[in-house]
Amino acid sequence: MAKMTLEELRNLRESKKKEMSQRDGNDKSAQIIIGMGTCGIAAGAKEAFDAFLDELNTREIMDTKITQTGCMGLCFSEPTVEVDVPGMPRVIYGNVDEKVARRIVKEHLIGKALVSDHIFDKPAADIIK
Amino acid sequence: MHATLCDLITDLVQNSIEAGASEINLKVEETQTNLNVVIADNGKGMSAELLKKAKDPFYSDGEKHKHRKVGLGLPFLFQTAEMTQGEASIESTENIGTMVRFRFDPEHIDLPIFGNFTSAAVTLMSYGFEGNLSIERSVNGETYTVSKNELTEALGDLNDLESLTLMKQFIETNEEEINKRPDGSNRSVQSV
Ligand SMILES: Nc1ncnc2c1ncn2[C@@H]1O[C@H](COP(=O)(O)OP(=O)(O)OP(=O)(O)O)[C@@H](O)[C@H]1O
Ligand code: FES
Ligand SMILES: [Mg+2]
């Protein structure tokens, strides 16, 4: 692909926005927070991030926000990912590799069912301080 | 712990973010003979005493990892510099900021692989922090710059899936451009 300019970036964003607003406007978006601390990265958090991006795009679940954060203090279960889907309990998943990331999109975001074998804890409040 | 040099760069910029910086400048320059990196921030900096400790391979301020007192960012940097006869330095002034620089020999056999700069840059740009991050990147004299402020201006919320996807394409295509060889082929861009 040829090198993109900021101008092209702006235009692409504008046209995508129009496309979006023509679809049904879902009120609240889902949030995915990926722990990118030293151990998270060493354990494959970047691969998990790429898998989320790819799977969400493929399935066109555009109303999603992905944020990265530093150490979640949960080294032993890295990569850790927090998922907040409106109307569902906030969940922390542990050992999220590429496969699990794709499962979270399919089962949790689309199917509205928790990926129980990877739940680290719920709700999150008392763990993340 | 670190698989690649891009992971190390990510960690060092995270240090700046953790120091509360509102302006971070990252310069990553590759030539045939040198890999030059500078990370400068206007964060809280370090006192002389803390700076001495931070250079100690067995120090982390203990605020983040309650069960681990060893930082992995700076020690890895100094260790790599020593192992590969490279140079690494850190200067810091309390309440003013910090500058970390290093220069490695890209050909050195013990140097970790460079890694994927696009994914490091996307990670840092979409990191949940308020400040600005400016990146100056060059490979054999070919250059591009990108800043979080200008990306936000063009795309809006950088954490939206749509923005993230476009931002990744933007950085990827700029990386491809500067990694092109004169004959039109691409330098192998390593994945991971
Ligand atoms: N840019 C900076 N500004 C202010 N203080 C810094 C900066 N970089 C490092 N420090 C200090 O040096 C310490 C050691 O940093 P280092 O990256 O080695 O470990 P860490 O950030 O504590 O842990 P880790 O990187 O493994 O998550 C930090 O805890 C912090 O106190
Ligand atoms: S990066 Fe693993 S506990 Fe902090
Ligand atoms: Mg660090």
Side-chain angles (χ1 to χ4, degrees):
Chain A
M1 203 196 281
K3 170 179 157 169
M4 278 168 87
T5 63
L6 274 176
E7 190 55 38
E8 284 165 336
L9 208 55
R10 209 171 285 128
N11 295 339
L12 273 169
R13 176 67 179 154
E14 283 307 311
S15 57
K16 292 262 158 96
K17 254 191 202 143
K18 277 194 202 113
E19 233 175 82
M20 280 274 283
S21 54
Q22 275 157 18
R23 271 181 245 155
D24 59 330
N26 229 333
D27 43 344
K28 261 180 94 188
S29 54
Q31 273 240 37
I32 296 173
I33 303 170
I34 307 178
M36 288 275 180
T38 322
C39 353
I41 288 178
K46 282 191 302 189
E47 288 71 22
F49 172 82
D50 284 341
F52 274 118
L53 209 59
D54 183 58
E55 196 68 32
L56 289 164
N57 271 307
T58 312
R59 294 172 186 274
E60 299 190 34
I61 320 181
M62 299 323 263
D63 53 345
T64 312
K65 276 189 199 306
I66 307 181
T67 310
Q68 332 217 7
T69 182
C71 166
M72 293 218 214
L74 304 170
C75 277
F76 42 89
S77 68
E78 301 283 0
T80 16
V81 173
E82 189 175 334
V83 179
D84 186 9
V85 173
M88 288 180 73
R90 210 176 235 268
V91 191
I92 293 182
Y93 289 113
N95 304 315
V96 181
D97 60 11
E98 187 192 325
K99 261 207 204 107
V100 178
R102 293 184 192 278
R103 277 184 60 200
I104 292 174
V105 174
K106 275 176 268 189
E107 297 171 28
H108 190 146
L109 275 82
I110 300 175
K112 308 285 183 229
L114 305 183
V115 184
S116 3
D117 51 328
H118 279 270
I119 291 185
F120 185 81
D121 200 1
K122 61 173 174 158
D126 54 325
I127 286 279
I128 299 289
K129 261 228 176 98
Chain B
M1 273 311 270
H2 289 274
T4 69
L5 293 172
C6 282
D7 292 341
L8 171 63
I9 293 169
T10 305
D11 192 90
L12 296 172
V13 175
Q14 279 178 10
N15 281 349
S16 299
I17 296 173
E18 284 156 8
S22 60
E23 277 296 333
I24 303 170
N25 283 295
L26 168 66
K27 187 174 158 182
V28 180
E29 183 184 62
E30 291 175 83
T31 67
Q32 307 285 5
T33 50
N34 276 316
L35 167 67
N36 267 316
V37 176
V38 183
I39 301 126
D41 71 59
N42 65 353
K44 67 180 179 199
M46 284 174 270
S47 63
E49 187 194 3
L50 188 60
L51 182 59
K52 217 168 113 198
K53 276 200 217 147
K55 288 184 184 171
D56 173 346
F58 297 104
Y59 177 75
S60 161
D61 61 19
E63 279 169 31
K64 277 197 292 179
H65 324 274
K66 299 270 179 311
H67 54 286
R68 152 152 94 66
K69 286 276 184 288
V70 183
L72 297 173
L74 295 174
F76 181 72
L77 169 63
F78 290 114
Q79 189 194 326
T80 306
E82 197 176 304
M83 260 173 23
T84 65
Q85 287 93 48
E87 292 164 26
S89 70
I90 173 166
E91 288 162 50
S92 189
T93 314
E94 219 171 352
N95 302 319
I96 303 281
T98 303
M99 178 147 77
V100 176
R101 304 166 191 263
F102 59 87
R103 186 209 308 274
F104 292 156
D105 170 7
E107 302 286 313
H108 198 288
I109 186 146
D110 289 329
L111 197 70
I113 59 165
F114 181 72
N116 185 331
F117 189 75
T118 302
S119 94
V122 170
T123 297
L124 291 168
M125 288 292 180
S126 59
Y127 208 87
F129 85 108
E130 290 296 312
N132 183 35
L133 168 66
S134 301
I135 297 178
E136 200 184 317
R137 171 86 170 109
S138 87
V139 175
N140 296 327
E142 297 294 318
T143 307
Y144 73 86
T145 60
V146 58
S147 75
K148 195 178 151 195
N149 281 351
E150 65 192 21
L151 285 170
T152 307
E153 187 268 319
L155 293 170
D157 186 344
L158 292 183
N159 294 107
D160 266 4
L161 183 65
E162 198 78 68
S163 310
L164 271 174
T165 307
L166 289 172
M167 167 167 72
K168 191 175 170 195
Q169 276 173 18
F170 178 82
I171 297 173
E172 215 156 46
T173 57
N174 277 277
E175 280 293 310
E176 276 166 15
E177 185 80 15
I178 63 167
N179 278 288
K180 260 195 198 130
R181 289 219 185 89
D183 63 4
S185 70
N186 227 307
R187 247 178 19 132
S188 64
V189 177
Q190 297 141 335
S191 59
V192 178

